[in-house]
Amino acid sequence: MNHPSTPAIAVHGGAGSLDDSGTSGLGPDAPREAGVGRAASAAWELLRRGGSALDAVVLAASLLEDDPTFNAGTGATLTSAGHVELDASLMDGATLGAGAVACVKDVKNPILLARAVLERSPHLLIVADGASAFAREMGIPAWPNERLVIPQQRARFDASAGVKPTTVGGGTIGAVARDRNGHVAAATSTGGTFLKRPGRVGDSPIIGAGTYADDRLAAVSSTGHGEPIIRVTLARLVADLVGAGRSPGEAAAEGIRILGARVAGQGGVIVVGPSGDPGFAFNTPAMARAWSDGSGNIRTAL
Amino acid sequence: MNHPSTPAIAVHGGAGSLDDSGTSGLGPDAPREAGVGRAASAAWELLRRGGSALDAVVLAASLLEDDPTFNAGTGATLTSAGHVELDASLMDGATLGAGAVACVKDVKNPILLARAVLERSPHLLIVADGASAFAREMGIPAWPNERLVIPQQRARFDASAGVKPTTVGGGTIGAVARDRNGHVAAATSTGGTFLKRPGRVGDSPIIGAGTYADDRLAAVSSTGHGEPIIRVTLARLVADLVGAGRSPGEAAAEGIRILGARVAGQGGVIVVGPSGDPGFAFNTPAMARAWSDGSGNIRTAL
């Protein structure tokens, strides 16, 4: 059990396969473990200095978006049309405020645009060209789609003729945090599934599915096959289980059990409860993750 | 209490103001009450003949989309850019299958497109231009945006210079049903809030917020100010309350109480539980609604 005033951070780099070759599109394992560790360390340092849970999850998510190892921001998977479309959301457990964007093609850090939706618009979710227009109004510069595409993802796309689209959005990233004031927050960002149809939106930008945070319950970020995750409202489900008295680890495990049992879904979740204890569960072979232990050390696992 | 083999239908025509002048954009009251009654009658007849809950809610929603009285399909409110953008979703409680579209500009019946997403794509939610492209592939013809705009909505837009955008999406439509086999389904469709920013998406196409259906819980359709509804995952919340033993009416009332208390949200819900009993609640002045009683008579109220 964490001390009440000890902050907590947990991040994930997507549920998927163990794949040291990187041929799955998830990227090799070692950089993934290092990447989630770096993001968690930076966010933990911010929390340790008194920063808010919302600032911490946005920092972690933006670092993971910029890390080409992950399927979010730079390095995202390509759609069936050969370009990148990005989705992201965040939620502040103190206020239940949330912001999200989906199907965004020209923004380097969609999590920062989602934050602008939360803080500087009357809306919660803005999609497609409307999200680009909002970004420009907010002073977020246009970022060419080609600059989001890394050579490995382009090569994977070029080799995909006749390949069936994947259904597991490996490499989605997310972060959950509790700050010294006891507030929790969650953030999630993704490029979605490989070879998705343009316009397809998964769970990551959907409040209640990919992301949920409520100081009375918990903060949760999901990863995996988006459609089943939406059908069971996975993030809300796991948060409610913490609210009903389960530990974050038990709630995560039960949420993933329900995901598999009721809708044959594959994925994972990270959770931080009001106590600051983290929880993780996944029914895929691996989920890159990092978290702060009660002493403030950052631990990582695949 | 309905007999177990008696089907049940409930529809809403949006939470909002009582307004016999029609100047709110909701349209005058009498046509709204008549419109929800007609949709409920048609869906009830389908259920009575052994049709499925999913077919019934799609029929009711498509009739309400075609009725210019309501803010969905033909007759939708205009965005700040002066055009129509439509959102819709549906969910099948028997399978937890769901389909949704958002920010669609060129389809007459978005609920039919949402059904195609459910039944004929591997995805759950498709938005904007990608949704239009999918519609064409499905044989759903392009419908000019101007044909979705009725003179009353154009006049309301033309008179709106300097007017603050509304936050309550009055006139959203929805339907919930239980069929003779005990399966439930829900559908919701909207034009969103008046003068919304292009690309803004509210709760209607969000599974868990605007729409939820699970045979083990209930079927729910929400209406009102979309952003707060998403923040409390209203449809899932109300369905869970039925699952926890509340009657549909109690669950609806408690969901709307939480919507108001936690996020200052204004709106309404309709619910049908596994027993077939309907429930309604709203914290706006009115919500046009119609439902079948245990004898199969259609009742209406504002």
Side-chain angles (χ1 to χ4, degrees):
Chain A
M1 179 71 76
N2 273 330
H3 186 276
S5 67
T6 304
I9 181 79
V11 310
H12 69 74
S17 308
L18 274 173
D19 177 22
D20 210 41
S21 72
T23 52
S24 73
L26 277 179
D29 295 333
R32 287 163 63 216
E33 190 163 2
V36 290
R38 276 193 303 273
S41 294
W44 200 87
E45 185 63 19
L46 183 153
L47 289 165
R48 193 183 64 77
R49 292 164 182 255
S52 73
L54 191 66
D55 283 341
V57 297
V58 169
L59 174 62
S62 63
L63 290 170
L64 292 163
E65 286 177 341
D66 288 343
D67 186 333
T69 306
F70 300 100
N71 176 20
T74 306
T77 57
L78 304 191
T79 70
S80 62
H83 63 263
V84 164
E85 290 185 1
L86 302 174
D87 303 335
S89 67
L90 56 86
M91 188 163 185
D92 179 355
T95 62
L96 302 184
V101 294
C103 196
V104 176
K105 302 183 190 74
D106 61 356
V107 167
K108 176 169 159 283
N109 288 106
I111 199 68
L112 300 181
L113 183 56
R115 184 169 195 166
V117 174
L118 164 59
E119 296 181 342
R120 299 174 65 190
S121 92
H123 300 325
L124 188 151
L125 171 60
I126 306 178
V127 305
D129 294 345
S132 297
F134 179 70
R136 297 306 95 79
E137 286 179 39
M138 295 298 107
I140 297 173
W143 192 258
N145 200 269
E146 315 83 76
R147 292 190 67 179
L148 297 166
V149 180
I150 62 171
Q152 293 92 323
Q153 294 290 357
R154 176 63 63 195
R156 186 182 179 215
F157 177 81
D158 289 342
S160 71
V163 167
K164 197 173 165 220
T166 58
T167 53
V168 175
T172 293
I173 66 90
V176 293
R178 191 197 62 158
D179 62 30
R180 289 204 300 212
N181 295 318
H183 299 308
V184 299
T188 309
S189 183
T190 193
T193 49
F194 181 44
L195 301 179
K196 68 182 179 187
R197 166 186 285 279
R200 177 267 187 184
V201 174
D203 62 297
S204 299
I206 306 299
I207 296 301
T211 301
Y212 206 72
D214 181 344
D215 282 357
R216 300 186 190 178
L217 303 173
V220 183
S221 173
S222 309
T223 168
H225 185 189
E227 284 77 7
I229 288 172
I230 295 172
R231 291 160 65 197
V232 299
T233 62
L234 183 61
R236 174 71 199 226
L237 172 63
V238 170
D240 279 337
L241 288 165
V242 175
R246 307 282 189 103
S247 73
E250 291 168 348
E254 176 65 3
I256 294 300
R257 188 195 68 74
I258 291 169
L259 177 71
R262 292 218 63 198
V263 293
Q266 290 186 281
V269 283
I270 60 173
V271 190
V272 65
S275 70
D277 289 322
F280 310 92
F282 50 98
N283 61 5
T284 48
M287 180 175 75
R289 56 203 189 276
W291 66 99
S292 57
D293 66 18
S295 311
N297 300 308
I298 299 300
R299 304 172 69 169
T300 64
L302 288 169
Chain B
M1 179 71 77
N2 273 329
H3 186 275
S5 68
T6 304
I9 181 78
V11 309
H12 69 75
S17 307
L18 275 174
D19 178 21
D20 210 43
S21 70
T23 51
S24 73
L26 278 179
D29 296 333
R32 287 164 62 213
E33 189 162 3
V36 291
R38 276 193 303 273
S41 295
W44 200 88
E45 185 61 21
L46 183 152
L47 289 164
R48 194 184 64 78
R49 292 164 181 254
S52 73
L54 191 65
D55 284 340
V57 297
V58 169
L59 175 61
S62 63
L63 290 169
L64 292 163
E65 285 177 340
D66 288 343
D67 186 333
T69 306
F70 300 99
N71 176 19
T74 305
T77 57
L78 304 189
T79 69
S80 62
H83 62 262
V84 163
E85 291 185 359
L86 302 174
D87 304 334
S89 67
L90 55 86
M91 188 162 185
D92 179 355
T95 62
L96 302 183
V101 293
C103 196
V104 175
K105 302 183 190 73
D106 60 356
V107 167
K108 177 169 156 286
N109 289 107
I111 199 68
L112 301 181
L113 183 56
R115 185 170 194 165
V117 174
L118 164 60
E119 295 181 343
R120 300 175 65 189
S121 93
H123 300 325
L124 188 151
L125 171 60
I126 306 180
V127 305
D129 293 344
S132 297
F134 178 70
R136 300 303 96 80
E137 287 179 38
M138 296 297 105
I140 297 173
W143 192 258
N145 199 270
E146 315 82 79
R147 293 190 66 180
L148 298 166
V149 180
I150 62 171
Q152 293 90 324
Q153 293 291 355
R154 176 62 64 195
R156 186 181 180 216
F157 177 81
D158 290 342
S160 70
V163 167
K164 197 173 165 217
T166 59
T167 53
V168 174
T172 293
I173 67 88
V176 294
R178 191 199 59 161
D179 62 30
R180 290 205 299 213
N181 295 317
H183 299 309
V184 299
T188 309
S189 183
T190 192
T193 47
F194 180 46
L195 301 180
K196 68 183 178 186
R197 167 186 285 277
R200 177 267 186 184
V201 175
D203 63 298
S204 299
I206 305 298
I207 297 302
T211 301
Y212 205 72
D214 181 344
D215 282 357
R216 300 186 189 178
L217 303 173
V220 183
S221 172
S222 310
T223 168
H225 186 191
E227 284 76 7
I229 288 172
I230 295 172
R231 291 161 64 197
V232 299
T233 64
L234 183 62
R236 173 73 199 227
L237 171 64
V238 171
D240 279 337
L241 288 165
V242 176
R246 306 281 188 104
S247 74
E250 291 168 346
E254 176 66 3
I256 294 300
R257 189 195 67 75
I258 291 170
L259 176 71
R262 291 217 63 197
V263 293
Q266 289 186 282
V269 284
I270 60 172
V271 191
V272 65
S275 70
D277 289 322
F280 310 92
F282 50 98
N283 61 5
T284 49
M287 180 174 76
R289 58 201 187 277
W291 67 99
S292 58
D293 66 18
S295 311
N297 300 307
I298 299 299
R299 305 173 68 170
T300 63
L302 287 170

